[in-house]
Amino acid sequence: MHTIEAVIDEHGKVQLLEEIHLPTARRALVTILEDEPPAHRNETALLSEAALAEDWNRSEEDTARAHLQQAR
């Protein structure tokens, strides 16, 4: 199973927000959400960037990843 985001217009036309390639026709389930369609494809990533940066930029995170920075 794979979940992708889509927008359904008022006529029921489904527009996938990412390109997919399937080996054969597949069944799909559609869940209608109550909110507005996304402004653009990467809206979720952009909205979470500030919150994630807050964690990633802490000194504790630098310490935890220090072993990944060492020269080989």
Side-chain angles (χ1 to χ4, degrees):
M1 286 183 26
H2 182 77
T3 301
I4 61 171
E5 192 172 2
V7 174
I8 304 173
D9 70 16
E10 61 277 2
H11 304 289
K13 182 178 178 189
V14 177
Q15 177 185 352
L16 302 179
L17 297 183
E18 64 184 72
E19 188 173 317
I20 61 168
H21 299 281
L22 302 171
T24 61
R26 300 293 173 123
R27 295 181 314 137
L29 300 174
V30 176
T31 302
I32 308 298
L33 305 174
E34 292 298 324
D35 60 0
E36 294 294 317
H40 52 80
R41 291 179 159 177
N42 297 321
E43 183 178 68
T44 303
L46 291 173
L47 291 173
S48 61
E49 183 178 10
L52 293 172
E54 205 172 294
D55 282 336
W56 291 337
N57 293 328
R58 295 184 332 187
S59 61
E60 295 91 347
E61 290 296 319
D62 291 338
T63 303
R65 293 188 304 263
H67 71 283
L68 300 173
Q69 301 290 330
Q70 297 172 353
R72 294 180 192 189

